[in-house]
Amino acid sequence: MSANVTSDEVPVTGIPDNERIKRLKQHFSQEFGCEPLFFVRVPGRVNLIGEHIDYCGYPVLPMALEQDILIAAATLNKPELHVRNINNKYVNYNTEIKSCENIDIVADPNGKPFWYNYVLCGVKGALEFLGDKITNGLQLCVDGIVPPASGLSSSSALVSAACLALLYAQNVPLSKTEIASLCAKCERYIGTQGGGMDQAIAFLAEKNCAQYITWQPLKATPVALPENAAFVVAHSLAEANKAATNYYNRRVIECRLAAKIIATCAGAVTDKKIITFSQVQNKLDNTLEEMVNLVHKYLPKDIYTKEEVCDILNVNAEELEQLFFTPNTKHLTEFKLKQRALHVYEEAKRVEDFRKHCSLSASNGSGLNGVNGNGAIVSDNGDCDEIIRVLGELMSSSHESLKNLYECSHENLDRLVSLSKEMNIHSRLTGAGWGGCIIALCPKEKVAKYIDMLIDKFYVKHCNIDIIKAASYVFATTPNHGAEIYVEK
Ligand code: ADP
Ligand code: NG1
Ligand code: MG
């Protein structure tokens, strides 16, 4: 197994001596009758701002969570994969892994992926990358503590951990950016056309800072968060499995169509290729504000039919489907192009503003001296509260946009956001939405009071949840580091 690891590669350290590792080791031995050879750990993430814009080519601003997927692994001397889970609600699975082509990733009869399909995504992508040249198989036992289907990226942590385990077992050194890009590709085998944010932060995260993630080439730039800012995650109690519906892919293809129409109307494309909103902006050399104006100019209608889109793009329905659609969106006939495009361009602007204000607070310590969101000067002893207020307002606008323009919120998420606002705390849905969690920006001294308020007003009074259980759905979090491998040293 690779001994010479550069700082660019996923770190390999000794196996921590803790209860969780002991329990997983024991479960592994019970299942497979041998000891694990190594462990991989990949964190979940929370996105601070920049939702549904990674697949449009725009930067996002996530941070890694403490909650993670931990996998114990051992190699097999035959090309087989044996998968177990410490939680017995997840069934065992065994299969051959002779070639990438032979790994079929098929959902259950209702279209919901089996849990092990996410493991298969990682393994299939790794096999494809290795040209099927593997020297051994794998036994894996999974222990995941990222709340599943909650917008905290349990799926990508699981896919990425499986892919990392296979690559490590084959002794293949990859840089963090290479493996993050590979894992983004892997997860598309589940059926969703994700943008790569989750896998990027899973590998590139650093302790105590969020990351500003940019694409092509993939790069993560650390963003220091204001000294007095705390981030609180609260679960809406609604789960949303993204690959079980076409909601996510529908948004992806609406963005593709809208980008193509703007590009075509503005005379920016001639070939047939898919073009993203950010590519259109670059081609036209416009600002984000100018792109918003072009959306109003070229996409004035609330709804576009498939026929109208074909007419504008001068293609027939078959060509349109072949170029832009996924299997689970081919039957769609109406699209909200203006709304999706406005969200993306405005959200991309909010990310830039958010980052700018974080750097203002970093360069000035807690005594700030810079420009606030309204262009006003923040004085030297103007405190962190002002920056937190500006950042918070950007988060609130993001939520409004996700709710009204992108239509990916949920009534429980909206309730959490408005309860927070009553305490003057800004928040937004995080991750893909349709359920899952909110992320709230809260001055440190208010955290305890804020969490108590949510427990009382949302979980206990609104959802009739027992107060002890309620406390497990809401937590304050700080940025954690990225994926790692543990081996006996
Ligand atoms: P998320 O927002 O958490 O990424 P997804 O809908 O993308 O939500 O993926 C959630 C799915 O990932 C779950 O339904 C389950 O199949 C799988 N999953 C997540 N965590 C685990 C785990 N600890 N063990 C098994 N499967 C898991
Ligand atoms: P979650 O919420 O983890 O399923 C999804 C996408 C991201 C990004 C966000 C929305 C995947 C694996 N993840 O995250 O790429 O588009 O939604 O910002 O598809
Ligand atoms: Mg996911």
Side-chain angles (χ1 to χ4, degrees), residues 69 85 90 112 115 118 142 144 147-155 158 240-242:
I69 298 277
N85 198 303
Y90 297 112
K112 186 173 188 265
W115 81 273
Y118 294 88
V142 176
S150 306
L152 303 179
S153 204
S154 68
S155 64
L158 184 51
N241 183 288
K242 266 66 72 177

PDB file of all heavy atoms in Angstrom, residues 69 85 90 112 115 118 142 144 147-155 158 240-242, ligand 1:
ATOM      1  N   ILE A  69     -18.611   9.320   6.772  1.00  0.00           N
ATOM      2  CA  ILE A  69     -18.768   7.894   6.454  1.00  0.00           C
ATOM      3  C   ILE A  69     -17.404   7.268   6.711  1.00  0.00           C
ATOM      4  O   ILE A  69     -16.391   7.736   6.164  1.00  0.00           O
ATOM      5  CB  ILE A  69     -19.168   7.679   4.976  1.00  0.00           C
ATOM      6  CG1 ILE A  69     -20.515   8.332   4.649  1.00  0.00           C
ATOM      7  CG2 ILE A  69     -19.147   6.175   4.637  1.00  0.00           C
ATOM      8  CD1 ILE A  69     -21.761   7.566   4.973  1.00  0.00           C
ATOM      9  N   ASN A  85     -22.961  -3.274   6.402  1.00  0.00           N
ATOM     10  CA  ASN A  85     -23.203  -1.978   7.057  1.00  0.00           C
ATOM     11  C   ASN A  85     -23.426  -2.247   8.528  1.00  0.00           C
ATOM     12  O   ASN A  85     -24.104  -3.220   8.884  1.00  0.00           O
ATOM     13  CB  ASN A  85     -24.432  -1.307   6.429  1.00  0.00           C
ATOM     14  CG  ASN A  85     -24.486   0.179   6.720  1.00  0.00           C
ATOM     15  OD1 ASN A  85     -24.482   0.604   7.871  1.00  0.00           O
ATOM     16  ND2 ASN A  85     -24.527   0.977   5.665  1.00  0.00           N
ATOM     17  N   TYR A  90     -29.570  -1.682   6.640  1.00  0.00           N
ATOM     18  CA  TYR A  90     -28.962  -1.723   5.308  1.00  0.00           C
ATOM     19  C   TYR A  90     -28.496  -3.149   4.999  1.00  0.00           C
ATOM     20  O   TYR A  90     -27.603  -3.672   5.684  1.00  0.00           O
ATOM     21  CB  TYR A  90     -27.775  -0.755   5.233  1.00  0.00           C
ATOM     22  CG  TYR A  90     -28.153   0.704   5.434  1.00  0.00           C
ATOM     23  CD1 TYR A  90     -27.736   1.401   6.564  1.00  0.00           C
ATOM     24  CD2 TYR A  90     -28.909   1.382   4.488  1.00  0.00           C
ATOM     25  CE1 TYR A  90     -28.059   2.746   6.743  1.00  0.00           C
ATOM     26  CE2 TYR A  90     -29.251   2.725   4.663  1.00  0.00           C
ATOM     27  CZ  TYR A  90     -28.821   3.396   5.793  1.00  0.00           C
ATOM     28  OH  TYR A  90     -29.142   4.722   5.965  1.00  0.00           O
ATOM     29  N   LYS A 112     -36.119   3.970  -6.291  1.00  0.00           N
ATOM     30  CA  LYS A 112     -35.221   4.452  -5.225  1.00  0.00           C
ATOM     31  C   LYS A 112     -33.956   3.592  -5.234  1.00  0.00           C
ATOM     32  O   LYS A 112     -34.049   2.362  -5.233  1.00  0.00           O
ATOM     33  CB  LYS A 112     -35.940   4.325  -3.873  1.00  0.00           C
ATOM     34  CG  LYS A 112     -35.168   4.915  -2.722  1.00  0.00           C
ATOM     35  CD  LYS A 112     -35.993   4.925  -1.435  1.00  0.00           C
ATOM     36  CE  LYS A 112     -35.284   5.689  -0.348  1.00  0.00           C
ATOM     37  NZ  LYS A 112     -34.487   4.930   0.552  1.00  0.00           N
ATOM     38  N   TRP A 115     -29.109   1.157  -1.016  1.00  0.00           N
ATOM     39  CA  TRP A 115     -28.002   1.880  -0.373  1.00  0.00           C
ATOM     40  C   TRP A 115     -26.658   1.499  -0.989  1.00  0.00           C
ATOM     41  O   TRP A 115     -25.791   2.341  -1.205  1.00  0.00           O
ATOM     42  CB  TRP A 115     -28.007   1.631   1.141  1.00  0.00           C
ATOM     43  CG  TRP A 115     -27.390   0.334   1.557  1.00  0.00           C
ATOM     44  CD1 TRP A 115     -28.005  -0.874   1.648  1.00  0.00           C
ATOM     45  CD2 TRP A 115     -26.014   0.128   1.914  1.00  0.00           C
ATOM     46  NE1 TRP A 115     -27.094  -1.833   2.039  1.00  0.00           N
ATOM     47  CE2 TRP A 115     -25.870  -1.251   2.215  1.00  0.00           C
ATOM     48  CE3 TRP A 115     -24.897   0.948   2.024  1.00  0.00           C
ATOM     49  CZ2 TRP A 115     -24.644  -1.805   2.606  1.00  0.00           C
ATOM     50  CZ3 TRP A 115     -23.683   0.390   2.414  1.00  0.00           C
ATOM     51  CH2 TRP A 115     -23.571  -0.966   2.692  1.00  0.00           C
ATOM     52  N   TYR A 118     -24.716   3.216  -4.033  1.00  0.00           N
ATOM     53  CA  TYR A 118     -23.759   4.332  -3.891  1.00  0.00           C
ATOM     54  C   TYR A 118     -22.329   3.784  -3.783  1.00  0.00           C
ATOM     55  O   TYR A 118     -21.387   4.387  -4.275  1.00  0.00           O
ATOM     56  CB  TYR A 118     -24.128   5.198  -2.677  1.00  0.00           C
ATOM     57  CG  TYR A 118     -25.454   5.911  -2.866  1.00  0.00           C
ATOM     58  CD1 TYR A 118     -26.661   5.306  -2.504  1.00  0.00           C
ATOM     59  CD2 TYR A 118     -25.511   7.167  -3.461  1.00  0.00           C
ATOM     60  CE1 TYR A 118     -27.881   5.935  -2.713  1.00  0.00           C
ATOM     61  CE2 TYR A 118     -26.730   7.805  -3.668  1.00  0.00           C
ATOM     62  CZ  TYR A 118     -27.905   7.184  -3.300  1.00  0.00           C
ATOM     63  OH  TYR A 118     -29.108   7.808  -3.523  1.00  0.00           O
ATOM     64  N   VAL A 142     -19.392  -0.544   6.362  1.00  0.00           N
ATOM     65  CA  VAL A 142     -19.670   0.896   6.405  1.00  0.00           C
ATOM     66  C   VAL A 142     -20.282   1.306   7.745  1.00  0.00           C
ATOM     67  O   VAL A 142     -21.194   0.644   8.245  1.00  0.00           O
ATOM     68  CB  VAL A 142     -20.670   1.268   5.268  1.00  0.00           C
ATOM     69  CG1 VAL A 142     -21.061   2.744   5.338  1.00  0.00           C
ATOM     70  CG2 VAL A 142     -20.094   0.919   3.909  1.00  0.00           C
ATOM     71  N   GLY A 144     -21.843   4.908   8.840  1.00  0.00           N
ATOM     72  CA  GLY A 144     -22.098   6.294   8.436  1.00  0.00           C
ATOM     73  C   GLY A 144     -22.866   7.056   9.488  1.00  0.00           C
ATOM     74  O   GLY A 144     -23.851   6.548  10.036  1.00  0.00           O
ATOM     75  N   PRO A 147     -26.400  12.402   8.558  1.00  0.00           N
ATOM     76  CA  PRO A 147     -27.839  12.127   8.407  1.00  0.00           C
ATOM     77  C   PRO A 147     -28.171  11.912   6.925  1.00  0.00           C
ATOM     78  O   PRO A 147     -27.860  12.767   6.101  1.00  0.00           O
ATOM     79  CB  PRO A 147     -28.502  13.412   8.937  1.00  0.00           C
ATOM     80  CG  PRO A 147     -27.474  14.046   9.811  1.00  0.00           C
ATOM     81  CD  PRO A 147     -26.130  13.667   9.257  1.00  0.00           C
ATOM     82  N   PRO A 148     -28.752  10.769   6.569  1.00  0.00           N
ATOM     83  CA  PRO A 148     -28.964  10.493   5.147  1.00  0.00           C
ATOM     84  C   PRO A 148     -30.116  11.301   4.544  1.00  0.00           C
ATOM     85  O   PRO A 148     -31.041  11.690   5.250  1.00  0.00           O
ATOM     86  CB  PRO A 148     -29.295   8.993   5.125  1.00  0.00           C
ATOM     87  CG  PRO A 148     -29.765   8.661   6.489  1.00  0.00           C
ATOM     88  CD  PRO A 148     -29.167   9.655   7.435  1.00  0.00           C
ATOM     89  N   ALA A 149     -30.015  11.554   3.247  1.00  0.00           N
ATOM     90  CA  ALA A 149     -31.063  12.243   2.479  1.00  0.00           C
ATOM     91  C   ALA A 149     -31.445  13.576   3.122  1.00  0.00           C
ATOM     92  O   ALA A 149     -32.617  13.933   3.196  1.00  0.00           O
ATOM     93  CB  ALA A 149     -32.279  11.331   2.327  1.00  0.00           C
ATOM     94  N   SER A 150     -30.453  14.310   3.610  1.00  0.00           N
ATOM     95  CA  SER A 150     -30.718  15.522   4.386  1.00  0.00           C
ATOM     96  C   SER A 150     -29.957  16.740   3.881  1.00  0.00           C
ATOM     97  O   SER A 150     -29.813  17.725   4.596  1.00  0.00           O
ATOM     98  CB  SER A 150     -30.329  15.275   5.853  1.00  0.00           C
ATOM     99  OG  SER A 150     -30.990  14.131   6.319  1.00  0.00           O
ATOM    100  N   GLY A 151     -29.417  16.664   2.678  1.00  0.00           N
ATOM    101  CA  GLY A 151     -28.700  17.812   2.117  1.00  0.00           C
ATOM    102  C   GLY A 151     -27.317  18.004   2.718  1.00  0.00           C
ATOM    103  O   GLY A 151     -26.685  19.036   2.509  1.00  0.00           O
ATOM    104  N   LEU A 152     -26.847  17.004   3.484  1.00  0.00           N
ATOM    105  CA  LEU A 152     -25.509  17.112   4.093  1.00  0.00           C
ATOM    106  C   LEU A 152     -24.528  16.169   3.398  1.00  0.00           C
ATOM    107  O   LEU A 152     -23.444  15.903   3.883  1.00  0.00           O
ATOM    108  CB  LEU A 152     -25.573  16.837   5.600  1.00  0.00           C
ATOM    109  CG  LEU A 152     -26.530  17.742   6.384  1.00  0.00           C
ATOM    110  CD1 LEU A 152     -26.535  17.370   7.867  1.00  0.00           C
ATOM    111  CD2 LEU A 152     -26.153  19.220   6.220  1.00  0.00           C
ATOM    112  N   SER A 153     -24.977  15.651   2.247  1.00  0.00           N
ATOM    113  CA  SER A 153     -24.091  14.914   1.363  1.00  0.00           C
ATOM    114  C   SER A 153     -23.598  13.571   1.877  1.00  0.00           C
ATOM    115  O   SER A 153     -22.436  13.212   1.700  1.00  0.00           O
ATOM    116  CB  SER A 153     -22.901  15.826   1.026  1.00  0.00           C
ATOM    117  OG  SER A 153     -22.366  15.398  -0.168  1.00  0.00           O
ATOM    118  N   SER A 154     -24.517  12.839   2.475  1.00  0.00           N
ATOM    119  CA  SER A 154     -24.168  11.469   2.883  1.00  0.00           C
ATOM    120  C   SER A 154     -23.852  10.642   1.649  1.00  0.00           C
ATOM    121  O   SER A 154     -22.972   9.776   1.673  1.00  0.00           O
ATOM    122  CB  SER A 154     -25.323  10.830   3.661  1.00  0.00           C
ATOM    123  OG  SER A 154     -26.433  10.601   2.820  1.00  0.00           O
ATOM    124  N   SER A 155     -24.564  10.906   0.558  1.00  0.00           N
ATOM    125  CA  SER A 155     -24.380  10.088  -0.658  1.00  0.00           C
ATOM    126  C   SER A 155     -22.961  10.227  -1.194  1.00  0.00           C
ATOM    127  O   SER A 155     -22.298   9.237  -1.486  1.00  0.00           O
ATOM    128  CB  SER A 155     -25.389  10.484  -1.736  1.00  0.00           C
ATOM    129  OG  SER A 155     -25.177  11.812  -2.156  1.00  0.00           O
ATOM    130  N   LEU A 158     -20.358   8.539   0.893  1.00  0.00           N
ATOM    131  CA  LEU A 158     -20.365   7.084   0.710  1.00  0.00           C
ATOM    132  C   LEU A 158     -19.725   6.689  -0.634  1.00  0.00           C
ATOM    133  O   LEU A 158     -18.870   5.794  -0.695  1.00  0.00           O
ATOM    134  CB  LEU A 158     -21.825   6.583   0.796  1.00  0.00           C
ATOM    135  CG  LEU A 158     -22.072   5.088   0.730  1.00  0.00           C
ATOM    136  CD1 LEU A 158     -21.214   4.320   1.730  1.00  0.00           C
ATOM    137  CD2 LEU A 158     -23.559   4.778   0.989  1.00  0.00           C
ATOM    138  N   ALA A 240     -35.152  13.747   1.679  1.00  0.00           N
ATOM    139  CA  ALA A 240     -35.327  13.809   0.222  1.00  0.00           C
ATOM    140  C   ALA A 240     -34.208  13.008  -0.418  1.00  0.00           C
ATOM    141  O   ALA A 240     -33.048  13.409  -0.354  1.00  0.00           O
ATOM    142  CB  ALA A 240     -35.284  15.260  -0.252  1.00  0.00           C
ATOM    143  N   ASN A 241     -34.556  11.872  -1.000  1.00  0.00           N
ATOM    144  CA  ASN A 241     -33.535  11.098  -1.725  1.00  0.00           C
ATOM    145  C   ASN A 241     -33.504  11.607  -3.163  1.00  0.00           C
ATOM    146  O   ASN A 241     -34.453  11.433  -3.916  1.00  0.00           O
ATOM    147  CB  ASN A 241     -33.852   9.599  -1.682  1.00  0.00           C
ATOM    148  CG  ASN A 241     -32.762   8.793  -2.364  1.00  0.00           C
ATOM    149  OD1 ASN A 241     -32.643   8.824  -3.577  1.00  0.00           O
ATOM    150  ND2 ASN A 241     -31.944   8.126  -1.595  1.00  0.00           N
ATOM    151  N   LYS A 242     -32.397  12.256  -3.492  1.00  0.00           N
ATOM    152  CA  LYS A 242     -32.312  12.983  -4.768  1.00  0.00           C
ATOM    153  C   LYS A 242     -32.392  12.101  -6.002  1.00  0.00           C
ATOM    154  O   LYS A 242     -32.897  12.510  -7.049  1.00  0.00           O
ATOM    155  CB  LYS A 242     -31.040  13.825  -4.809  1.00  0.00           C
ATOM    156  CG  LYS A 242     -31.239  15.255  -4.361  1.00  0.00           C
ATOM    157  CD  LYS A 242     -31.591  15.441  -2.920  1.00  0.00           C
ATOM    158  CE  LYS A 242     -30.443  15.167  -1.988  1.00  0.00           C
ATOM    159  NZ  LYS A 242     -30.722  15.408  -0.566  1.00  0.00           N
TER     160      LYS A 242
HETATM  161  P1  ADP B   1     -27.775  13.392   0.800  1.00  0.00           P
HETATM  162  O1  ADP B   1     -28.348  14.759   0.817  1.00  0.00           O
HETATM  163  O2  ADP B   1     -27.593  12.849   2.179  1.00  0.00           O
HETATM  164  O3  ADP B   1     -26.557  13.256  -0.046  1.00  0.00           O
HETATM  165  P2  ADP B   1     -28.979  11.623  -1.167  1.00  0.00           P
HETATM  166  O4  ADP B   1     -30.404  11.468  -1.537  1.00  0.00           O
HETATM  167  O5  ADP B   1     -28.073  12.142  -2.203  1.00  0.00           O
HETATM  168  O6  ADP B   1     -28.928  12.519   0.148  1.00  0.00           O
HETATM  169  O7  ADP B   1     -28.408  10.207  -0.685  1.00  0.00           O
HETATM  170  C1  ADP B   1     -28.950   9.539   0.432  1.00  0.00           C
HETATM  171  C2  ADP B   1     -28.783   8.044   0.283  1.00  0.00           C
HETATM  172  O8  ADP B   1     -27.407   7.642   0.520  1.00  0.00           O
HETATM  173  C3  ADP B   1     -29.566   7.249   1.311  1.00  0.00           C
HETATM  174  O9  ADP B   1     -30.922   7.101   0.925  1.00  0.00           O
HETATM  175  C4  ADP B   1     -28.810   5.929   1.334  1.00  0.00           C
HETATM  176  O10 ADP B   1     -29.189   5.102   0.248  1.00  0.00           O
HETATM  177  C5  ADP B   1     -27.369   6.367   1.118  1.00  0.00           C
HETATM  178  N1  ADP B   1     -26.693   6.461   2.434  1.00  0.00           N
HETATM  179  C6  ADP B   1     -26.350   7.577   3.094  1.00  0.00           C
HETATM  180  N2  ADP B   1     -25.748   7.295   4.286  1.00  0.00           N
HETATM  181  C7  ADP B   1     -25.713   5.956   4.379  1.00  0.00           C
HETATM  182  C8  ADP B   1     -25.235   5.023   5.356  1.00  0.00           C
HETATM  183  N3  ADP B   1     -24.683   5.418   6.499  1.00  0.00           N
HETATM  184  N4  ADP B   1     -25.367   3.710   5.104  1.00  0.00           N
HETATM  185  C9  ADP B   1     -25.937   3.294   3.965  1.00  0.00           C
HETATM  186  N5  ADP B   1     -26.397   4.103   3.001  1.00  0.00           N
HETATM  187  C10 ADP B   1     -26.311   5.414   3.191  1.00  0.00           C
END
